[in-house]
Amino acid sequence: MIEAIGLRKSYKELEVLKGIELDVARGSVFALLGPNGAGKTTTVRVLATLTTADGGVARVAGHDVVAERSRVRRAISLTGQFAAIDELQTGAENVRMMARLAGLSRSAARSRTAELLERFDLTGAGGRLVRTYSGGMRRRLDLAASLVGDPEVIFLDEPTTGLDPRSRTELWALVRELSARGTTVFLTTQYLEEADRLADRVAVLNGGRIVAEGTADELKRIVAGHRLDLVLADAEAYERLAPHATYTDAGTLTVGMPTDGSGAHVRALLDEFDPDRTRVERFSVHSATLDDVFLTLTAAESAHV
């Protein structure tokens, strides 16, 4: 449903995308991870026809994003980092306006608005001005308005930024529903848990390049199946071991090391990093997370820049 080959984009002397490759299956949830400035939003803008790439080819819903721009735009919807809704209108008026702009008749727009407000649990608030909505309600309304044309592909650019945990969980449920209905969801996020819970496949973008791609479990196996967390005795021990770690927490004097989880490997790591048994106060072993993947891959890439 989304294909990119050798996408490149620069802004003056700054090379933002350096030949990225993407292949997103129909009806799947695809998460693009990366630190600030990695090129996530630029990628979305190119795929959504808002920015033209300097090189490479991209197709969305089977259409070239340059040669068939209008067809791509009819097949997609984009929800950006900030809700694009009018606070001086009611929720229903916002959705109805988008439906009319999408070409629906007045009666069809009213019907579609009622359907979407019910679907996103906003029927009771549909007659209220949007300025009275909570952050979670605004995001749900923004998503409802973006679906008036029943798009084949929806781009969600960091959609849960600033939401409280309850609102974030509600939005995750809506993303799962969209995917279950056959909509392809392209998600950018800095919340690693979000990608872990939602995405069928995950790509890590750093320095303008895709540095890894796969399922969440496949990516976790890149760094190790598990992580050994060491709570250290003092700041000196922390400073000594932190450069070797894939996870650090200075506040608790904790460092995390990749491990296969076996007793033999854990004992070997403890002997290596605490040979005289004075640096480590306690330790724990747990499954690797996407945070470990993210920190390991972006740190490794940054070291080569």
Side-chain angles (χ1 to χ4, degrees):
M1 184 56 75
I2 301 173
E3 180 185 20
I5 303 171
L7 277 190
R8 293 184 290 105
K9 180 65 181 178
S10 297
Y11 295 100
K12 295 184 179 181
E13 301 301 318
L14 178 62
E15 192 176 11
V16 180
L17 301 180
K18 303 176 182 179
I20 68 170
E21 314 275 332
L22 295 170
D23 190 356
V24 181
R26 182 185 299 271
S28 66
V29 179
F30 183 92
L32 185 63
L33 306 182
N36 289 332
K40 301 187 300 298
T41 296
T42 297
T43 300
V44 169
R45 289 181 63 82
V46 169
L47 296 174
T49 77
L50 298 177
T51 297
T52 302
D54 298 328
V57 176
R59 298 182 182 85
V60 176
H63 307 301
D64 187 279
V65 298
V66 176
E68 302 173 284
R69 180 172 299 178
S70 60
R71 290 191 173 189
V72 172
R73 290 181 174 181
R74 285 196 293 270
I76 69 171
S77 180
L78 168 62
T79 298
Q81 296 179 26
F82 305 100
I85 48 180
D86 186 348
E87 294 187 346
L88 299 180
Q89 294 191 92
T90 66
E93 287 170 341
N94 268 275
V95 179
R96 194 158 53 244
M97 175 183 67
M98 294 303 298
R100 292 288 286 151
L101 289 172
L104 275 65
S105 67
R106 281 189 173 85
S107 60
R110 285 194 297 271
S111 176
R112 183 64 171 156
T113 296
E115 175 190 342
L116 287 168
L117 290 178
E118 180 177 2
R119 179 175 171 186
F120 287 89
D121 195 26
L122 290 168
T123 300
R128 285 167 42 196
L129 293 178
V130 171
R131 66 186 180 191
T132 68
Y133 283 21
S134 66
M137 292 172 67
R138 291 180 187 217
R139 181 52 83 184
R140 296 207 309 273
L141 179 65
D142 193 28
L143 191 54
S146 71
L147 293 176
V148 293
D150 200 17
E152 297 178 69
V153 180
I154 182 165
F155 294 97
L156 301 177
D157 191 11
E158 300 191 17
T160 60
T161 298
L163 295 186
D164 60 64
R166 181 183 298 276
S167 298
R168 186 176 298 133
T169 300
E170 290 174 352
L171 189 61
W172 288 352
L174 294 174
V175 170
R176 294 190 190 98
E177 179 188 336
L178 287 171
S179 178
R181 289 171 175 249
T183 303
T184 303
V185 180
F186 188 103
L187 171 75
T188 74
T189 182
Q190 294 188 66
Y191 294 110
L192 286 303
E193 182 187 8
E194 189 162 271
D196 206 354
R197 291 197 182 191
L198 294 178
D200 299 298
R201 292 187 69 79
V202 178
V204 180
L205 180 65
N206 193 46
R209 297 184 176 92
I210 301 292
V211 295
E213 182 181 344
T215 65
D217 287 340
E218 287 170 347
L219 293 184
K220 291 172 189 176
R221 287 196 290 271
I222 289 176
V223 297
H226 297 78
R227 192 179 79 198
L228 171 65
D229 281 358
L230 308 175
V231 179
L232 303 174
D234 52 44
E236 182 181 354
Y238 176 83
E239 293 296 333
R240 184 185 295 268
L241 296 185
H244 305 282
T246 58
Y247 167 82
T248 60
D249 185 341
T252 60
L253 298 180
T254 301
V255 298
M257 309 291 185
T259 174
D260 62 14
S262 67
H265 193 228
V266 169
R267 282 193 294 270
L269 287 173
L270 288 171
D271 289 340
E272 177 184 356
F273 294 114
D274 189 19
D276 55 5
R277 302 187 179 184
T278 60
R279 297 175 184 167
V280 176
E281 284 197 345
R282 59 185 182 274
F283 69 88
S284 60
V285 179
H286 60 84
S287 297
T289 68
L290 278 184
D291 295 71
D292 300 314
V293 175
F294 182 86
L295 292 170
T296 300
L297 293 174
T298 56
E301 179 68 13
S302 297
H304 291 88
V305 174

